[in-house]
Amino acid sequence: MVTVCHVLLGASYRGCTFMLRMVQYIIHLTLLRLGPDLSQGDEKLLSDIPTDLRATEKAFSLDDKTTILAVCPNPDCHFTYEPSFQGDSPIPIYPDTCNHLEFRGGRKCGTPLLKPQRRNGHTIQVPTKRFVVFSFKDWLGGLLSRSGFEEKMDNAWAPSTDRLIPLKEMKDIFDAEILQNFEGFDGQHFSAGGEEGRYVFSLCVDHFNPLGNKQAGKKKSNGLISLVCLNLPPEMRYKPENMFLFGIIPGPNEPPLACLNHYLRPLVDMLLEFWFTGIRFSRTYAYYYGRVVRCALICVVCDLPGARKINGFASFGHTQMCAMCHCTRRQHDSVNDSFATLGMRRTNEEIRNSAQLYLDAADEKERNEAVQNSGIRWSELLRLPYFNPSCFVVVDAMHNLFLGLVEEHFDILGIRMNIKSVSTPSIIIDIPVESINKLNKHERKSLNRLIKMLEAPIKKELKSQNGYDIYLKRLSALHRAALELLCVSVGAPLNLNPNHFNKRKLNKLDFIHAILTWVSASIDTFVIVRRLLDLCSD
């Protein structure tokens, strides 16, 4: 009853604790009707009633299963250790110090891992730095217990197995060549598992500032490791309740380069078990007597720096900056036409051989030489026998398409076009130079951004309230002097808001509304004049 009130009706922890204690008290009063002395069985009955809501949730297995890993606090190590248990004791046991060897025959790290902590009057040793990981088996079992999910996940393979000729237009990842030809451990197509469940996943690792992304704020960074089941329909995959959070990489800074492998290692161990032997679930929603499930990691979706670290590629500033081919960055070249000199495509075997050289290096110098020659480091994902780093790293749609960073990423890689395309502005803005010189450096920068923004074709966006609000927010970040100068120069209509009648001078919001109103009206006039001029010239 109390669990239902908390989970379904949203009762608070405090309210649920009150209900548990009242239930215990009512039963106690009922038992006292038989006499003032309670029997041993009645005493046990009362003591078995939990007084904490967390105990009831544990009885129903509502909490996700987690494991706390000890992380080496050395900023250059980050090695992780899983706990061990002695008998039935719930107290985890960890090594006292980090015994990780970065190089064979080298020195152990030796950094202390534990610190004393008082719990219930006892002193125990707990990890100084912790990494909490969630159970992939437990999460997948919960996903397969939902109504209709298993059927949709199994039906995702139907287009891949029924199609003989690949489509020219791909609408989903199952239309791509990789999954069309993806083989399982037995050499057959991965979907040919009979009664087994065969599911594929994508991996994302991204870092964020838990204190907020403020330019003048503190610089902290935590990492998030998550998996998405690609067998779910596209409209269901990225809902938070359908995604698997493996763990959050502790801060305050990102782990350096190959140290990210220590956080991926337990995840790879889980995926290896799902690949070779599979996991048998005793019961799913569609299979009353249970079924075996096998899973595979088919792609990695990250931003540009994250994809390099996770897959073992060197930074985008390396001479071999491409993860797919051997085009190289040429030194002191303002216009890098690398695409004109594309080399051979990188292969899975070549990348694995280069990564093995990095792993087998005797010291840091030898590793640096290996990275300099190949641009490849070791990645824990290479332990997956089917993982092909030359094909499984996909374009990050969020950053490249939705945020429009394709051009910026090419600029980071040093790839530029020889001839810049000249586009005709949608509107012409001319401000006298002497007026611009009266602005300070920051105000002139705001004015340049404002002119560039308004000369772009934004009329369609301004027609909708959502688009208008977007540009209202963008202009609010500019300096007031720049907005006022543009209004005066172009003669934008300054219609006072009735709420501002008592104010002696206009504020920034008045200038913004005037500019957006002027742009909406001026674009139509400008287009008509330009067409008339074109007709006259013809």
Side-chain angles (χ1 to χ4, degrees):
M1 178 190 68
V2 175
T3 303
V4 168
C5 288
H6 175 66
V7 176
L8 301 182
L9 303 181
S12 66
Y13 270 90
R14 184 179 179 184
C16 291
T17 302
F18 172 76
M19 284 190 285
L20 285 171
R21 293 185 181 276
M22 286 302 298
V23 168
Q24 186 184 48
Y25 180 63
I26 292 172
I27 295 178
H28 189 187
L29 291 178
T30 305
L31 295 175
L32 288 177
R33 290 175 61 87
L34 301 177
D37 298 326
L38 297 180
S39 65
Q40 187 176 3
D42 292 340
E43 292 283 357
K44 184 178 185 305
L45 173 65
L46 290 175
S47 64
D48 286 343
I49 299 176
T51 57
D52 190 347
L53 178 63
R54 287 170 292 186
T56 65
E57 291 182 346
K58 185 176 181 181
F60 283 98
S61 300
L62 295 181
D63 289 334
D64 294 327
K65 295 181 180 180
T66 59
T67 303
I68 299 177
L69 275 62
V71 180
C72 178
N74 185 347
D76 297 325
C77 182
H78 285 263
F79 198 80
T80 57
Y81 294 87
E82 294 188 11
S84 59
F85 298 90
Q86 186 174 7
D88 296 332
S89 173
I91 301 177
I93 301 175
Y94 302 93
D96 294 330
T97 58
C98 179
N99 53 20
H100 174 58
L101 292 174
E102 186 65 26
F103 302 98
R104 296 178 181 176
R107 295 174 53 187
K108 294 183 179 180
C109 174
T111 304
L113 298 176
L114 308 177
K115 63 179 181 180
Q117 189 177 91
R118 294 283 295 179
R119 289 184 181 178
N120 299 326
H122 300 280
T123 302
I124 60 174
Q125 298 293 323
V126 297
T128 303
K129 192 172 185 178
R130 304 186 303 169
F131 177 47
V132 181
V133 299
F134 292 86
S135 171
F136 182 62
K137 300 177 186 177
D138 185 59
W139 172 84
L140 186 57
L143 192 70
L144 296 177
S145 65
R146 301 185 194 177
S147 174
F149 273 61
E150 198 169 6
E151 181 180 0
K152 292 178 180 179
M153 293 163 65
D154 292 336
N155 292 338
W157 290 107
S160 301
T161 55
D162 296 343
R163 189 180 303 123
L164 298 178
I165 301 176
L167 293 176
K168 294 183 179 179
E169 179 182 355
M170 294 184 294
K171 297 182 179 180
D172 192 16
I173 192 171
F174 286 88
D175 298 329
E177 181 181 355
I178 296 297
L179 282 181
Q180 292 281 324
N181 304 319
F182 186 58
E183 296 182 352
F185 72 102
D186 53 1
Q188 299 181 356
H189 193 270
F190 186 64
S191 63
E195 293 295 316
E196 292 185 354
R198 301 291 180 92
Y199 309 126
V200 292
F201 291 81
S202 67
L203 170 68
C204 176
V205 179
D206 198 5
H207 285 80
F208 62 95
N209 187 347
L211 304 178
N213 292 323
K214 296 181 179 179
Q215 190 169 1
K218 296 181 179 179
K219 306 299 180 184
K220 305 292 183 182
S221 183
N222 287 358
L224 183 144
I225 305 176
S226 61
L227 290 178
V228 172
C229 181
L230 299 176
N231 286 75
L232 289 173
E235 64 273 11
M236 298 175 60
R237 291 173 189 167
Y238 298 99
K239 291 184 176 181
E241 61 268 25
N242 298 335
M243 298 175 64
F244 171 61
L245 174 64
F246 173 69
I248 297 179
I249 302 173
N253 300 311
E254 294 185 27
L257 295 176
C259 290
L260 187 62
N261 284 325
H262 304 322
Y263 297 98
L264 294 176
R265 187 178 66 254
L267 176 61
V268 173
D269 292 338
M270 294 181 189
L271 293 173
L272 285 172
E273 188 177 1
F274 270 96
W275 174 259
F276 286 111
T277 61
I279 300 298
R280 178 172 181 81
F281 291 92
S282 59
R283 182 176 178 181
T284 66
Y285 188 87
Y287 289 79
Y288 184 86
Y289 296 103
R291 70 189 304 200
V292 175
V293 174
R294 298 182 190 269
C295 300
L297 180 66
I298 199 65
C299 64
V300 175
V301 184
C302 299
D303 57 10
L304 195 60
R308 294 296 193 270
K309 284 186 177 182
I310 295 171
N311 295 279
F313 297 112
S315 168
F316 47 77
H318 195 272
T319 53
Q320 297 193 41
M321 72 287 185
C322 185
M324 302 178 66
C325 71
H326 284 284
C327 67
T328 57
R329 182 195 303 274
R330 295 183 295 190
Q331 299 295 330
H332 309 295
D333 186 6
S334 59
V335 180
N336 187 346
D337 57 350
S338 301
F339 284 119
T341 57
L342 286 178
M344 293 188 300
R345 174 76 182 256
R346 287 187 184 271
T347 63
N348 182 30
E349 182 180 3
E350 170 215 336
I351 293 176
R352 287 180 175 272
N353 291 337
S354 299
Q356 193 63 41
L357 291 176
Y358 175 90
L359 190 63
D360 296 339
D363 50 34
E364 191 67 29
K365 180 180 178 181
E366 189 173 337
R367 278 191 175 178
N368 291 336
E369 291 177 354
V371 176
Q372 185 63 31
N373 295 332
S374 64
I376 301 295
R377 293 185 176 89
W378 171 258
S379 169
E380 278 292 310
L381 297 181
L382 295 177
R383 290 171 53 205
L384 301 173
Y386 56 85
F387 191 81
N388 187 346
S390 66
C391 300
F392 285 13
V393 184
V394 302
V395 175
D396 180 7
M398 183 191 77
H399 290 86
N400 289 295
L401 301 180
F402 299 145
L403 297 182
L405 296 183
V406 175
E407 182 179 356
E408 182 176 346
H409 282 187
F410 273 91
D411 185 66
I412 291 174
L413 295 174
I415 302 172
R416 302 178 181 89
M417 300 295 291
N418 289 327
I419 302 175
K420 293 184 178 180
S421 58
V422 180
S423 58
T424 304
S426 296
I427 190 170
I428 295 177
I429 299 175
D430 188 14
I431 299 177
V433 178
E434 56 271 15
S435 299
I436 298 178
N437 292 335
K438 295 180 182 180
L439 304 176
N440 60 37
K441 180 177 67 173
H442 301 291
E443 293 170 344
R444 287 198 297 269
K445 187 175 180 181
S446 288
L447 183 63
N448 291 333
R449 289 177 56 192
L450 177 61
I451 293 175
K452 185 177 180 181
M453 190 186 308
L454 298 181
E455 287 184 345
I458 64 174
K459 179 185 175 182
K460 290 183 178 180
E461 286 83 350
L462 294 179
K463 286 184 177 180
S464 66
Q465 185 62 42
N466 186 37
Y468 190 92
D469 293 340
I470 290 176
Y471 280 95
L472 181 66
K473 183 177 180 180
R474 292 180 181 176
L475 267 62
S476 299
L478 304 179
H479 288 82
R480 180 186 182 280
L483 299 169
E484 183 178 359
L485 176 58
L486 188 132
C487 284
V488 174
S489 301
V490 302
L494 289 168
N495 297 323
L496 281 174
N497 190 307
N499 297 327
H500 298 163
F501 269 107
N502 296 328
K503 296 184 179 180
R504 294 184 177 181
K505 63 178 182 178
L506 300 171
N507 59 22
K508 182 188 288 188
L509 191 60
D510 295 321
F511 291 116
I512 294 174
H513 285 303
I515 290 173
L516 295 179
T517 302
W518 173 79
V519 170
S520 300
S522 300
I523 288 178
D524 293 332
T525 306
F526 180 73
V527 171
I528 294 173
V529 172
R530 189 169 59 188
R531 290 179 179 175
L532 290 175
L533 291 175
D534 292 340
L535 291 174
C536 292
S537 62
D538 292 340

